[in-house]
Coordinates of all heavy atoms in Angstrom, one line a residue:
V29 N 111.8 54.3 89.6 CA 112.9 55.2 89.7 C 113.5 55.5 88.4 O 113.9 56.6 88.0 CB 113.9 54.7 90.8 CG1 115.2 55.6 90.7 CG2 113.3 54.7 92.1
A30 N 113.7 54.4 87.6 CA 114.4 54.6 86.3 C 113.6 55.5 85.4 O 114.1 56.4 84.7 CB 114.6 53.2 85.6
T31 N 112.3 55.2 85.2 CA 111.4 56.1 84.4 C 111.3 57.5 84.9 O 111.3 58.5 84.1 CB 110.0 55.4 84.2 OG1 109.5 55.2 85.5 CG2 110.1 54.1 83.4
A32 N 111.2 57.6 86.2 CA 111.1 59.0 86.8 C 112.4 59.8 86.5 O 112.3 61.0 86.2 CB 110.8 58.9 88.3
W33 N 113.5 59.1 86.6 CA 114.8 59.8 86.4 C 114.9 60.3 85.0 O 115.3 61.5 84.8 CB 116.0 58.9 86.8 CG 117.3 59.5 86.6 CD1 118.2 59.2 85.6 CD2 117.9 60.6 87.3 NE1 119.3 60.0 85.7 CE2 119.2 60.9 86.7 CE3 117.5 61.4 88.4 CZ2 120.0 61.8 87.1 CZ3 118.4 62.4 88.8 CH2 119.6 62.6 88.2
V34 N 114.7 59.5 84.0 CA 114.9 59.9 82.6 C 113.9 60.9 82.2 O 114.2 61.8 81.5 CB 114.9 58.6 81.7 CG1 116.0 57.7 82.0 CG2 113.5 57.9 81.8
V35 N 112.6 60.8 82.7 CA 111.6 61.8 82.3 C 111.9 63.1 83.0 O 111.7 64.2 82.4 CB 110.2 61.3 82.7 CG1 109.2 62.4 82.6 CG2 109.8 60.1 81.8
A36 N 112.4 63.1 84.2 CA 112.6 64.4 85.0 C 113.9 65.1 84.6 O 114.0 66.3 84.6 CB 112.6 64.1 86.5
V37 N 114.9 64.3 84.1 CA 116.2 64.9 83.9 C 116.6 65.1 82.5 O 117.4 65.9 82.2 CB 117.2 64.1 84.7 CG1 118.7 64.5 84.5 CG2 116.9 64.1 86.2
H38 N 116.1 64.2 81.6 CA 116.6 64.2 80.2 C 115.5 64.6 79.2 O 114.3 64.5 79.5 CB 117.1 62.8 79.9 CG 118.3 62.4 80.7 ND1 118.1 61.6 81.8 CD2 119.6 62.6 80.5 CE1 119.3 61.4 82.3 NE2 120.2 62.0 81.6
E39 N 115.9 65.1 78.1 CA 115.1 65.4 77.0 C 115.3 64.4 75.9 O 116.4 64.2 75.4 CB 115.4 66.8 76.4 CG 114.4 67.3 75.4 CD 113.0 67.5 75.9 OE1 112.9 68.2 77.0 OE2 112.1 67.0 75.3
F40 N 114.2 63.7 75.4 CA 114.3 62.7 74.4 C 113.0 62.6 73.7 O 112.0 63.2 74.1 CB 114.6 61.3 75.1 CG 113.6 60.9 76.1 CD1 112.6 60.1 75.8 CD2 113.8 61.3 77.4 CE1 111.7 59.7 76.8 CE2 112.9 60.9 78.4 CZ 111.8 60.1 78.1
P41 N 112.9 61.9 72.5 CA 111.6 61.9 71.8 C 110.5 61.3 72.6 O 110.7 60.1 73.1 CB 112.0 61.0 70.6 CG 113.5 61.2 70.4 CD 114.0 61.3 71.8
G42 N 109.4 62.0 72.7 CA 108.2 61.5 73.4 C 108.2 61.8 74.9 O 107.4 61.3 75.6
R43 N 109.2 62.6 75.4 CA 109.3 62.8 76.8 C 108.0 63.4 77.4 O 107.5 63.0 78.5 CB 110.4 63.8 77.1 CG 110.5 64.3 78.6 CD 111.7 65.2 78.8 NE 111.7 65.7 80.1 CZ 111.1 66.9 80.4 NH1 110.5 67.6 79.5 NH2 111.1 67.3 81.7
R44 N 107.4 64.4 76.7 CA 106.2 65.0 77.2 C 105.0 64.1 77.3 O 104.2 64.1 78.2 CB 105.8 66.3 76.4 CG 106.8 67.4 76.5 CD 106.4 68.6 75.7 NE 107.3 69.7 75.8 CZ 107.3 70.6 76.8 NH1 106.4 70.5 77.8 NH2 108.2 71.5 76.8
F45 N 105.0 63.2 76.3 CA 103.9 62.1 76.3 C 104.1 61.2 77.5 O 103.2 60.9 78.2 CB 104.0 61.4 75.0 CG 103.1 60.1 75.0 CD1 101.8 60.2 74.9 CD2 103.8 58.9 75.1 CE1 101.0 59.0 74.9 CE2 103.0 57.7 75.1 CZ 101.6 57.8 75.0
F46 N 105.3 60.7 77.7 CA 105.6 59.7 78.7 C 105.4 60.3 80.1 O 105.1 59.6 81.1 CB 107.0 59.1 78.6 CG 107.1 58.2 77.4 CD1 108.0 58.5 76.4 CD2 106.4 57.0 77.4 CE1 108.1 57.6 75.3 CE2 106.5 56.1 76.3 CZ 107.4 56.4 75.3
A47 N 105.6 61.6 80.2 CA 105.5 62.3 81.5 C 104.1 62.0 82.2 O 104.0 61.8 83.4 CB 105.7 63.8 81.4
W48 N 103.1 62.0 81.4 CA 101.7 61.7 81.9 C 101.3 60.3 81.6 O 100.5 59.7 82.4 CB 100.7 62.7 81.4 CG 100.5 62.7 79.9 CD1 101.1 63.4 79.0 CD2 99.5 61.9 79.3 NE1 100.6 63.1 77.7 CE2 99.6 62.1 77.9 CE3 98.6 60.9 79.7 CZ2 98.8 61.5 76.9 CZ3 97.8 60.2 78.7 CH2 97.9 60.5 77.4
A49 N 101.7 59.8 80.5 CA 101.2 58.4 80.1 C 101.7 57.3 80.9 O 101.0 56.3 81.1 CB 101.6 58.2 78.6
L50 N 102.8 57.5 81.6 CA 103.4 56.4 82.4 C 102.5 56.1 83.7 O 102.7 55.1 84.4 CB 104.8 56.8 82.8 CG 105.9 56.5 81.8 CD1 107.2 57.1 82.2 CD2 106.0 55.0 81.5
I51 N 101.5 57.0 84.0 CA 100.7 56.7 85.1 C 99.4 56.1 84.7 O 98.5 55.8 85.5 CB 100.4 58.0 85.9 CG1 99.5 59.0 85.1 CG2 101.6 58.7 86.4 CD1 99.0 60.2 85.9
L52 N 99.2 55.8 83.4 CA 98.0 55.1 82.9 C 97.7 53.8 83.6 O 96.5 53.4 83.7 CB 98.0 55.0 81.4 CG 97.8 56.3 80.6 CD1 97.9 56.0 79.1 CD2 96.4 56.9 80.9
P53 N 98.7 53.0 83.9 CA 98.4 51.7 84.6 C 97.6 51.8 85.9 O 97.0 50.8 86.3 CB 99.8 51.1 84.8 CG 100.6 51.6 83.7 CD 100.1 53.0 83.5
L54 N 97.5 53.0 86.5 CA 96.7 53.2 87.7 C 95.2 53.0 87.3 O 94.5 52.6 88.2 CB 96.9 54.6 88.2 CG 98.2 54.9 88.9 CD1 98.3 56.3 89.4 CD2 98.5 54.0 90.1
A55 N 94.8 53.1 86.1 CA 93.4 52.9 85.7 C 93.1 51.4 85.5 O 91.9 51.1 85.3 CB 93.1 53.7 84.4
M56 N 94.1 50.6 85.4 CA 93.9 49.2 85.1 C 94.0 48.4 86.4 O 95.1 48.2 87.0 CB 95.0 48.7 84.2 CG 94.9 47.2 83.7 SD 93.7 46.9 82.5 CE 94.2 47.9 81.1
P57 N 92.9 47.9 87.0 CA 92.9 47.0 88.2 C 93.8 45.8 87.9 O 93.9 45.2 86.8 CB 91.5 46.6 88.4 CG 90.7 47.6 87.7 CD 91.5 48.0 86.5
A58 N 94.5 45.4 89.0 CA 95.5 44.3 88.9 C 94.8 43.0 88.4 O 95.3 42.2 87.7 CB 96.2 44.1 90.2
Y59 N 93.5 42.8 88.9 CA 92.9 41.5 88.6 C 92.4 41.5 87.1 O 92.4 40.5 86.4 CB 91.7 41.3 89.5 CG 90.7 42.4 89.6 CD1 89.6 42.6 88.7 CD2 90.7 43.2 90.7 CE1 88.7 43.6 88.9 CE2 89.8 44.2 90.9 CZ 88.8 44.4 89.9 OH 87.9 45.4 90.1
V60 N 92.1 42.7 86.5 CA 91.8 42.8 85.1 C 93.1 42.5 84.3 O 93.1 41.8 83.3 CB 91.3 44.2 84.7 CG1 91.1 44.4 83.2 CG2 90.0 44.4 85.4
M61 N 94.3 43.0 84.7 CA 95.5 42.7 84.0 C 95.8 41.2 84.1 O 96.3 40.6 83.2 CB 96.6 43.5 84.7 CG 97.9 43.6 83.8 SD 99.2 44.6 84.6 CE 98.3 46.2 84.7
A62 N 95.5 40.6 85.2 CA 95.7 39.1 85.4 C 94.8 38.4 84.4 O 95.3 37.4 83.8 CB 95.4 38.7 86.8
Y63 N 93.6 38.8 84.2 CA 92.7 38.1 83.2 C 93.3 38.2 81.8 O 93.4 37.3 81.0 CB 91.3 38.7 83.2 CG 90.6 38.8 84.5 CD1 89.6 39.7 84.7 CD2 91.0 37.9 85.6 CE1 89.0 39.8 85.9 CE2 90.3 38.0 86.8 CZ 89.3 39.0 87.0 OH 88.7 39.1 88.2
A64 N 93.8 39.4 81.5 CA 94.3 39.7 80.1 C 95.6 38.9 79.8 O 95.7 38.2 78.8 CB 94.6 41.2 80.0
Y65 N 96.5 38.8 80.8 CA 97.8 38.1 80.5 C 97.6 36.6 80.6 O 98.3 35.9 79.9 CB 98.8 38.6 81.5 CG 99.5 39.8 81.1 CD1 99.5 41.0 81.9 CD2 100.1 39.9 79.9 CE1 100.1 42.1 81.5 CE2 100.8 41.1 79.5 CZ 100.7 42.2 80.3 OH 101.3 43.4 79.9
T66 N 96.6 36.1 81.3 CA 96.3 34.7 81.3 C 95.8 34.3 79.9 O 96.3 33.3 79.4 CB 95.2 34.4 82.4 OG1 95.8 34.7 83.7 CG2 94.9 32.9 82.3
D67 N 94.9 35.0 79.4 CA 94.4 34.7 78.0 C 95.5 34.8 77.0 O 95.6 34.0 76.0 CB 93.3 35.7 77.6 CG 92.8 35.5 76.2 OD1 92.0 34.5 76.0 OD2 93.2 36.2 75.3
F68 N 96.4 35.7 77.2 CA 97.5 36.0 76.2 C 98.6 35.0 76.3 O 99.2 34.6 75.3 CB 98.1 37.4 76.4 CG 98.9 37.9 75.3 CD1 98.5 38.0 74.0 CD2 100.2 38.3 75.6 CE1 99.3 38.5 73.0 CE2 101.1 38.8 74.6 CZ 100.6 38.9 73.3
L69 N 98.9 34.5 77.5 CA 100.1 33.7 77.7 C 99.9 32.2 78.1 O 100.8 31.4 78.2 CB 101.0 34.3 78.8 CG 101.6 35.7 78.5 CD1 102.3 36.3 79.7 CD2 102.5 35.7 77.3
Q70 N 98.6 31.8 78.3 CA 98.3 30.5 78.7 C 98.6 29.5 77.5 O 98.8 29.9 76.4 CB 96.9 30.3 79.2 CG 95.8 30.6 78.2 CD 94.5 30.6 78.8 OE1 94.3 30.1 79.9 NE2 93.5 31.1 78.1
F71 N 98.4 28.2 77.8 CA 98.7 27.2 76.8 C 97.9 27.4 75.5 O 98.4 27.2 74.4 CB 98.5 25.8 77.4 CG 98.7 24.7 76.4 CD1 100.0 24.2 76.3 CD2 97.7 24.1 75.7 CE1 100.3 23.2 75.4 CE2 98.0 23.0 74.8 CZ 99.3 22.6 74.6
S72 N 96.6 27.7 75.7 CA 95.8 27.9 74.5 C 95.8 29.3 74.0 O 95.0 29.6 73.1 CB 94.3 27.5 74.9 OG 93.8 28.3 76.0
G73 N 96.6 30.2 74.5 CA 96.7 31.6 74.1 C 97.4 31.8 72.8 O 98.1 30.8 72.3
P74 N 97.4 33.0 72.3 CA 98.0 33.2 71.0 C 99.5 33.1 71.0 O 100.1 32.8 70.0 CB 97.5 34.7 70.6 CG 97.2 35.3 71.9 CD 96.6 34.1 72.8
V75 N 100.2 33.5 72.1 CA 101.6 33.5 72.2 C 102.2 32.0 72.1 O 103.0 31.7 71.2 CB 102.2 34.2 73.4 CG1 103.7 34.0 73.5 CG2 101.8 35.6 73.4
Q76 N 101.7 31.2 73.0 CA 102.2 29.8 72.9 C 101.7 29.1 71.7 O 102.4 28.2 71.1 CB 101.7 29.0 74.2 CG 102.3 29.5 75.5 CD 102.3 28.4 76.5 OE1 102.6 27.2 76.3 NE2 101.8 28.8 77.7

């Protein structure tokens, strides 16, 4: 709701880009995202 409201109602830098780019996560299966964040955030990952 927050992203939809600011994109639909306000003009700000990058608005036209975000209008379509915010739906890109639909292309990323949830289990693929789980694999990525596990590698990124686990004990042996780069963040920790």
Side-chain angles (χ1 to χ4, degrees):
V29 171
T31 52
W33 175 252
V34 296
V35 168
V37 176
H38 297 95
E39 185 67 50
F40 57 93
R43 172 181 174 268
R44 293 183 180 276
F45 167 75
F46 288 116
W48 65 267
L50 281 168
I51 68 174
L52 286 177
L54 289 177
M56 182 77 63
Y59 52 85
V60 173
M61 199 178 296
Y63 308 155
Y65 278 122
T66 298
D67 177 78
F68 193 59
L69 298 174
Q70 64 184 345
F71 180 82
S72 58
V75 173
Q76 290 203 51

